[in-house]
Amino acid sequence: MVDDFAAHAFSDRGLLQQALTHRSAGARNNERLEFLGDALVNLIVADALYERWPKADEGALTRARAELVRESSLAGLARGLRLGEKLSLGSGELKSGGQRRDSILADALEAVVAAVYLDAGFDTCRNVVLPWFALGLESLPVGKVAKDAKTRLQEWLQARQVQLPEYALIDTSGDEHDRSFRVDCRIVEPPLHAEGTGSSRRAAEQQAAAEVLRALEPARG
């Protein structure tokens, strides 16, 4: 049987079942598969970008990969594959809408990638996964993916040969399945700091850096 969202007939359907099982639903869940799938997705996307953008430098390739494999992008792909309705979740996650949460969907997508790889090898895995990213790859402007806020802030400070920003975690709140992080971004010259929040520490750092950049607008102009 070929699974419509994976375009692959699993020899070991237990792998697929595990990939679709959130940790809230049992001990045999998709966390280890998600770890492996994360690496596979990064490799497959990096390889595709390397082949498609022969003149792009490392920075452009890195930014493009980050854009394609960020949590919200993977969650969007998972929604397109209607992955949420196939997930096994614990009662608490079901009640809180876990099947619609970006983090759970992105993790599940990566777990499915790992399941395909373990079931049929890398070539089959790549052939299954690449079509998911086809639209994203085509829509990226070659070599011109916008830099994220942290990168832009760091480059602005480096150009002036002053100390780089420091990020500090201020607070973590919410239940385990719905965490919120609050981070402070601080620069010495000029003396500024701003806070950011997000569903991950990385996202909170990006928002904090963006706020510092906004405060720097007069100086940057």
Side-chain angles (χ1 to χ4, degrees):
M1 175 183 174
V2 177
D3 292 279
D4 55 354
F5 64 91
H8 170 66
F10 277 87
S11 298
D12 181 0
R13 293 193 63 79
L15 282 169
L16 177 60
Q17 182 178 357
Q18 184 178 355
L20 296 173
T21 302
H22 186 258
R23 67 176 180 269
S24 63
R28 183 175 168 79
N29 56 59
N30 63 10
E31 285 189 324
R32 281 173 54 84
L33 289 173
E34 181 264 324
F35 164 79
L36 178 58
D38 175 70
L40 288 164
V41 168
N42 273 276
L43 173 58
I44 291 167
V45 170
D47 181 62
L49 288 167
Y50 186 87
E51 291 296 324
R52 286 168 178 258
W53 293 9
K55 296 182 179 180
D57 61 22
E58 179 189 3
L61 292 168
T62 298
R63 290 191 297 275
R65 182 183 60 183
E67 177 71 17
L68 290 169
V69 305
R70 59 191 169 93
E71 183 180 276
S72 59
S73 296
L74 296 182
L77 293 176
R79 290 188 180 93
L81 297 168
R82 302 178 69 179
L83 206 59
E85 63 193 51
K86 300 174 177 68
L87 295 178
S88 294
L89 301 170
S91 59
E93 287 291 354
L94 282 171
K95 290 178 182 176
S96 64
Q99 70 274 18
R100 297 185 296 274
R101 190 169 300 118
D102 277 9
S103 59
I104 289 178
L105 288 170
D107 288 351
L109 186 79
E110 290 174 337
V112 168
V113 172
V116 174
Y117 166 74
L118 292 173
D119 191 65
F122 182 73
D123 287 344
T124 296
C125 180
R126 180 173 52 192
N127 291 338
V128 168
V129 171
L130 267 181
W132 299 349
F133 290 93
L135 182 60
L137 286 165
E138 290 296 332
S139 63
L140 285 175
V142 178
K144 295 182 180 179
V145 179
K147 297 176 182 179
D148 61 46
K150 287 182 66 175
T151 300
R152 287 186 283 120
L153 177 59
Q154 179 171 314
E155 289 181 351
W156 189 85
L157 295 170
Q158 285 176 328
R160 287 152 184 80
Q161 298 183 330
V162 296
Q163 185 175 324
L164 296 181
E166 294 183 355
Y167 297 90
L169 180 64
I170 299 173
D171 183 48
T172 304
S173 60
D175 297 330
E176 183 178 353
H177 63 271
D178 192 21
R179 286 283 171 86
S180 178
F181 296 81
R182 186 157 60 98
V183 167
D184 180 73
C185 173
R186 186 175 299 270
I187 62 174
V188 175
E189 188 180 337
L192 282 172
H193 77 98
E195 294 182 4
T197 59
S199 59
S200 68
R201 181 167 179 168
R202 181 183 301 177
E205 288 177 352
Q206 290 288 357
Q207 187 184 71
E211 293 299 325
V212 170
L213 284 169
R214 272 191 277 274
L216 284 170
E217 281 298 337
R220 293 170 68 211

